[in-house]
Amino acid sequence: MMSSRLLFDLLCEWNRWAGQRGKVLILIVGFSLISFVFAMVLRLGDVLFFENPDWVGSEADFYTLSSVYDDGRQAGVSQQTIASLKDLPYVTDVAWLRTRTFDFRSNDYALYQPLALVFEPHLIELLQLEFPATEKRSTGVWLTQHYWREAFNSDPEVVGKYLTHEKLPNSVPIRGVLPQQFNRIGPWSPDILLPADYLRYVTPFAPSSTLMIDRFLRSVPEYYGFFKTRRPIDVERLTQEMRNNDFSVQGMKVESHGGELNIFNGIMLDQKSATMLKQLWTFSVLLVIALVSIFSLNAFMSFSNRNLLLADEYRVLQTIGAQPIDLVRPVVVASVIKIGIIALISLGLNVLASHFIGTNDHVTRLDLFSLDGKYPYYWALSLVFITLIYATAIIFPLMSLRKKTLFSRVMGTNRGYKQLLVGQGSLIFQLSIAIIATIAAIQISKQQLELFAPFNFNTSVQQVVINHHGGRLPIESIEDVRNDDTNNAMALSVAPFDKPQTISVGARELGFEREFEVHYVSQNYFNQLSAQVSADTRDWKSGVVINRTAQQFLAENRFNIRATPLYLGKILGSHRIFGVVDDIPHGGRFKRDQSTVYLPLSTVFSTPQSYTLYLDERMDVSSSGALKSYLDTLLVDAQITSSSTLKTIIDAQEARAQQLFYFSISVVIITLFGIALTLGYQVRSRLQLEKADYGVLIAIGAPFNALLIKACKPIAMGFGAAVIVTFAGYMLLVHLGYLHHVNLASAINLIALVLVGLITLSAVALPLLKLTRSQVIDLIKQE
């Protein structure tokens, strides 16, 4: 005999859920997922919209001044433009940074043009950067942790040693190693941080030409400005005012990169990634809304149906003297245990997420879901939210028992009009969500599958990046060089495949201007990649090759590519168009096609700091003695810094976009799966309440299709209402201007309706089939 009242209540509650424990399990797992995702959404929203990046120590509000391209990438502005902010009365503080490679050398370690993040010394104070304690911050160099590990083998004695540069009059001391958060700043992974004074020694002018150096540094558009204000400002208005001003430096002509000046709220250096993260956050919000709606309604319907099925038992308990608290206590105790299980599962999901983030090299916010950060507060808030939903689902059905007469003649278990109306409303809502989710899934799949089209060039070609400390490859005749391993030619470009330069391209006659990507390549570049060109590039000595996207853009602007030279700016001048090549997705297939121009290597004026070779896939670069001998003959300290196929490079470019695609699809699949399960349980509960009616029909010989039609009638009515509600809502959003008009009878919409219809039909047919296998006497008798 059980002596514990608590255990007795739990045992009674366990027995009362007989036949529906699967649904209880689904509700627990569903609310656990809601708790985790809701806490994650709150934390990510805090990071995306309110927090500064983790490398910034200050929590103050800042603004960022930079340029932005059509595809969302950012670029710098001139130092002159940033300095103009100081003249505004409401601006209190201004500082800047930029990136540049510096050819530093070390007596003990092999260094090859580390990427330096060059900062104005005042930037440390403005952003409260966590720099190692030192008396001097205007001289010296600071290493990032990843560069300290990779280039200096984590040598603790490296601090205090010196680096040299051929253009610097003195050696540069290593002041310290920076914390881990400096490994990633915006879109860059800098190797070193360097004060701005060293920029004076790496300009095209002699160190004694002070005036020209100053003009050059103030004019190059490579700086990112940060500033604080006394009061919030109208960002769009200030952006427009600055666009209307001329910030050119007198006596200095600098090539434009084609970006447009823009001011951002907060510290913004990688708008493209931030936009993608905000899209992921939006999908997460939609997932939370869908899951909360589905599981809240189903929790409410589950407890309502449970109370209907147990109405007789409750009446008996009340007859023998049970008080309302005696009816509520077992439910509350069981619900507390369920909330505890939900908390443990959501906490386990958090541990898995933290482990994944800790092992992912592309994630920099390692404290995002850390239990010693802000995440526990959001996790606790999500549990409170789940508890409120559960409490509401429990209390409202129990309150309805107080309105019933204790002694009443009951001939069966039937649902009232309001309950039927609530159930039908829940059904319409779920089917509407299912239709919208299915349309979204098909639309996303269609768009992304189009982007997964086969490549129109040979992606198995190897890209080999060569760094050096001097010398020069014969870039004008590189196509005549053969490697001894495969006897195939080598193609060459000045920059890697996925890292083009950008310039502003315009035609004087037409007055248009647009950002173009620029690649300096050898004559055999397109042949090596098996890319289709409209002209024979073996005769390509002058002129430029453009891609199909650039050709289309020029045609839209009525530019005659056959007769009119293309103006490439003040430095490169005008060039005739030699040919047109099919679009090569240098940034991956998920990136919008970019207008691109290819120039012959004869237009390269200076010795490249690195070379990119394109070799046959069969060549083993790591063991090729012929290639190493060839490079050592022409270059000083030549080193192969990276070797990978173009397919590998493109996969890396597409990784984030693929994650967004897969995440959006997973949101849709989870939503549809949840709807299918809950719809099945809802139909099963309806059949359980109406099983006596079906038992009578089966007893008089009604066929299965007649039973299916009877069961499908309310579902069909709900499905029709859901279709009307969905497309009426769509037309309203089109009318309000939030969506573009599309054909409602499109193939995508029709396929979505058919799929949802099949899911709905299976949700009815399977429980009904199970019901018909029961004994008629068991269906008809009243329990």
Side-chain angles (χ1 to χ4, degrees):
M1 183 175 178
M2 189 171 293
S3 59
S4 172
R5 187 169 186 174
L6 176 63
L7 293 177
F8 178 76
D9 288 339
L10 290 176
L11 180 61
C12 291
E13 191 66 15
W14 173 262
N15 292 331
R16 285 166 182 164
W17 282 101
Q20 298 192 61
R21 291 169 190 152
K23 187 167 189 177
V24 174
L25 179 61
I26 290 176
L27 287 175
I28 290 175
V29 173
F31 280 116
S32 301
L33 184 61
I34 291 173
S35 175
F36 167 67
V37 177
F38 186 46
M40 180 190 72
V41 165
L42 293 175
R43 181 70 183 108
L44 285 177
D46 191 11
V47 171
L48 288 174
F49 300 104
F50 301 103
E51 287 188 4
N52 288 324
D54 58 343
W55 57 273
V56 177
S58 173
E59 296 182 359
D61 294 329
F62 295 95
Y63 298 91
T64 303
L65 173 61
S66 71
S67 295
V68 64
Y69 295 127
D70 293 338
D71 63 353
R73 290 179 297 116
Q74 287 179 249
V77 296
S78 67
Q79 196 179 129
Q80 178 103 330
T81 305
I82 298 173
S84 68
L85 293 170
K86 299 178 181 179
D87 299 330
L88 300 176
Y90 48 81
V91 173
T92 60
D93 226 340
V94 181
W96 54 259
L97 60 78
R98 62 170 289 190
T99 58
R100 191 188 192 283
T101 57
F102 272 77
D103 191 10
F104 279 120
R105 313 284 178 88
S106 169
N107 293 330
D108 304 315
Y109 299 94
L111 307 181
Y112 290 90
Q113 299 174 352
L115 177 64
L117 192 144
V118 185
F119 61 91
E120 186 181 12
H122 179 58
L123 184 75
I124 299 177
E125 179 183 351
L126 175 63
L127 301 185
Q128 297 181 17
L129 303 183
E130 188 180 344
F131 265 54
T134 179
E135 295 181 358
K136 295 183 179 180
R137 288 178 175 170
S138 59
T139 60
V141 61
W142 287 262
L143 309 178
T144 58
Q145 278 202 15
H146 83 88
Y147 193 62
W148 176 57
R149 291 194 304 267
E150 296 170 3
F152 295 92
N153 298 322
S154 301
D155 182 3
E157 303 296 328
V158 75
V159 177
K161 294 185 178 180
Y162 290 84
L163 303 180
T164 60
H165 191 288
E166 61 180 1
K167 291 188 176 181
L168 299 184
N170 300 312
S171 299
V172 180
I174 299 176
R175 300 289 187 190
V177 180
L178 295 169
Q180 187 173 3
Q181 60 262 31
F182 288 92
N183 284 345
R184 185 77 179 181
I185 296 180
W188 311 294
S189 295
D191 300 319
I192 59 175
L193 270 72
L194 197 67
D197 290 347
Y198 293 106
L199 288 174
R200 306 188 64 85
Y201 299 98
V202 290
T203 69
F205 306 98
S208 58
S209 303
T210 306
L211 179 61
M212 295 304 296
I213 290 175
D214 181 66
R215 287 179 176 178
F216 177 80
L217 292 177
R218 285 190 293 116
S219 62
V220 291
E222 297 179 3
Y223 301 86
Y224 296 79
F226 309 102
F227 63 99
K228 291 172 59 177
T229 59
R230 292 189 176 88
R231 54 177 174 79
I233 62 173
D234 187 339
V235 171
E236 294 183 1
R237 181 178 178 181
L238 180 58
T239 297
Q240 193 57 49
E241 290 177 357
M242 296 192 71
R243 287 176 181 174
N244 295 332
N245 293 333
D246 180 15
F247 296 108
S248 60
V249 178
Q250 185 177 6
M252 185 63 61
K253 294 182 179 180
V254 178
E255 193 67 62
S256 171
H257 50 52
E260 190 172 31
L261 184 145
N262 202 80
I263 296 175
F264 299 91
N265 285 300
I267 303 294
M268 180 63 69
L269 294 172
D270 193 359
Q271 186 200 22
K272 193 171 183 180
S273 294
T275 301
M276 190 169 293
L277 285 174
K278 289 176 182 177
Q279 290 175 340
L280 282 170
W281 183 82
T282 302
F283 278 118
S284 300
V285 171
L286 295 176
L287 176 62
V288 169
I289 293 173
L291 292 176
V292 167
S293 303
I294 292 169
F295 286 100
S296 299
L297 284 171
N298 279 277
F300 182 81
M301 295 299 296
S302 296
F303 282 103
S304 297
N305 290 332
R306 172 185 179 277
N307 289 342
L308 285 172
L309 294 171
L310 299 175
D312 291 344
E313 180 182 338
Y314 284 148
R315 286 191 182 93
V316 172
L317 292 174
Q318 287 177 304
T319 303
I320 62 177
Q323 299 298 316
I325 187 63
D326 297 316
L327 304 180
V328 173
R329 186 178 54 251
V331 182
V332 172
V333 172
S335 297
V336 170
I337 294 177
K338 293 173 190 174
I339 293 297
I341 296 173
I342 290 172
L344 291 176
I345 294 176
S346 63
L347 190 62
L349 292 174
N350 166 73
V351 172
L352 290 176
S354 300
H355 176 73
F356 170 76
I357 289 175
T359 57
N360 193 333
D361 296 334
H362 300 288
V363 178
T364 56
R365 291 302 300 265
L366 299 178
D367 63 333
L368 198 58
F369 300 139
S370 174
L371 294 179
D372 57 357
K374 292 184 178 180
Y375 181 79
Y377 300 102
Y378 296 118
W379 177 70
L381 183 61
S382 70
L383 286 181
V384 172
F385 179 65
I386 297 300
T387 304
L388 291 175
I389 294 175
Y390 234 89
T392 304
I394 293 171
I395 292 173
F396 275 92
L398 287 175
M399 289 178 62
S400 65
L401 292 176
R402 302 180 58 185
K403 301 177 182 179
K404 294 184 180 294
T405 305
L406 181 59
F407 298 100
S408 59
R409 185 167 180 264
V410 180
M411 298 301 297
T413 305
N414 296 301
R415 297 197 294 180
Y417 173 76
K418 290 184 179 179
Q419 292 167 329
L420 290 172
L421 189 62
V422 171
Q424 199 69 6
S426 171
L427 177 65
I428 294 172
F429 177 80
Q430 292 183 68
L431 290 174
S432 299
I433 295 293
I435 292 172
I436 295 171
T438 307
I439 292 175
I442 296 174
Q443 185 68 40
I444 292 172
S445 300
K446 179 177 177 295
Q447 292 175 353
Q448 302 303 321
L449 287 174
E450 290 175 353
L451 294 174
F452 278 114
F455 292 103
N456 56 357
F457 66 102
N458 184 9
T459 58
S460 61
V461 171
Q462 291 188 80
Q463 172 184 277
V464 180
V465 179
I466 310 296
N467 282 329
H468 61 93
H469 285 149
R472 188 176 188 274
L473 292 181
I475 59 177
E476 295 82 7
S477 58
I478 193 71
E479 59 271 7
D480 297 327
V481 177
R482 303 277 170 172
N483 67 74
D484 295 339
D485 297 87
T486 61
N487 197 34
N488 288 326
M490 294 187 297
L492 183 144
S493 66
V494 172
F497 178 83
D498 58 330
K499 296 178 181 178
Q501 299 179 24
T502 57
I503 61 172
S504 179
V505 174
R508 296 171 176 172
E509 298 81 358
L510 300 177
F512 65 80
E513 188 175 25
R514 185 173 181 173
E515 170 216 351
F516 273 50
E517 290 185 350
V518 180
H519 295 262
Y520 296 88
V521 299
S522 59
Q523 291 181 8
N524 63 339
Y525 177 82
F526 301 110
N527 289 335
Q528 191 78 347
L529 270 59
S530 301
Q532 299 298 317
V533 189
S534 62
D536 188 354
T537 54
R538 289 178 297 180
D539 301 324
W540 184 29
K541 299 296 184 182
S542 62
V544 298
V545 175
I546 61 174
N547 67 347
R548 297 290 179 190
T549 301
Q551 180 189 29
Q552 181 179 355
F553 168 74
L554 295 174
E556 290 172 354
N557 286 273
R558 299 180 180 180
F559 182 85
N560 189 344
I561 64 174
R562 296 180 180 275
T564 308
L566 185 63
Y567 182 61
L568 303 181
K570 300 173 183 177
I571 296 178
L572 292 174
S574 297
H575 295 262
R576 67 183 180 89
I577 297 176
F578 179 83
V580 179
V581 64
D582 291 343
D583 287 337
I584 300 175
H586 293 274
R589 292 164 294 181
F590 285 81
K591 180 182 176 182
R592 182 175 57 84
D593 290 334
Q594 181 71 29
S595 297
T596 306
V597 58
Y598 301 87
L599 285 87
L601 293 175
S602 58
T603 58
V604 178
F605 300 113
S606 58
T607 300
Q609 295 180 339
S610 65
Y611 297 94
T612 302
L613 301 179
Y614 300 88
L615 306 173
D616 187 271
E617 61 180 310
R618 296 170 295 172
M619 182 175 178
D620 186 358
V621 175
S622 59
S623 61
S624 174
L627 177 62
K628 188 178 186 306
S629 175
Y630 173 74
L631 296 175
D632 290 341
T633 302
L634 298 169
L635 301 176
V636 178
D637 297 334
Q639 183 188 51
I640 298 175
T641 57
S642 66
S643 174
S644 57
T645 64
L646 299 183
K647 180 65 168 60
T648 303
I649 296 170
I650 292 175
D651 287 344
Q653 292 287 323
E654 295 179 348
R656 287 188 177 182
Q658 286 181 350
Q659 291 173 0
L660 176 61
F661 166 60
Y662 294 134
F663 183 77
S664 60
I665 290 296
S666 66
V667 169
V668 173
I669 291 175
I670 291 173
T671 304
L672 289 176
F673 182 71
I675 290 173
L677 285 178
T678 55
L679 189 61
Y681 274 104
Q682 187 171 338
V683 171
R684 189 177 302 174
S685 299
R686 183 193 293 266
L687 294 178
Q688 184 70 19
L689 294 171
E690 300 175 356
K691 65 179 181 179
D693 297 337
Y694 285 95
V696 172
L697 292 174
I698 294 173
I700 62 176
F704 180 78
N705 58 346
L707 300 178
L708 185 61
I709 292 173
K710 173 179 170 57
C712 284
K713 278 184 180 179
I715 304 295
M717 292 174 59
F719 183 78
V723 173
I724 294 173
V725 168
T726 301
F727 289 108
Y730 164 76
M731 294 303 296
L732 178 62
L733 292 176
V734 170
H735 178 72
L736 295 176
Y738 292 107
L739 293 175
H740 298 291
H741 178 72
V742 296
N743 181 16
L744 293 180
S746 65
I748 291 178
N749 294 342
L750 295 177
I751 293 173
L753 293 180
V754 171
L755 288 177
V756 175
L758 291 175
I759 293 174
T760 306
L761 182 62
S762 63
V764 177
L766 294 178
L768 181 62
L769 187 62
K770 183 178 180 180
L771 184 72
T772 57
R773 294 173 180 171
S774 303
Q775 295 294 326
V776 174
I777 189 64
D778 295 332
L779 298 176
I780 296 177
K781 71 178 182 180
Q782 299 295 329
E783 297 178 354

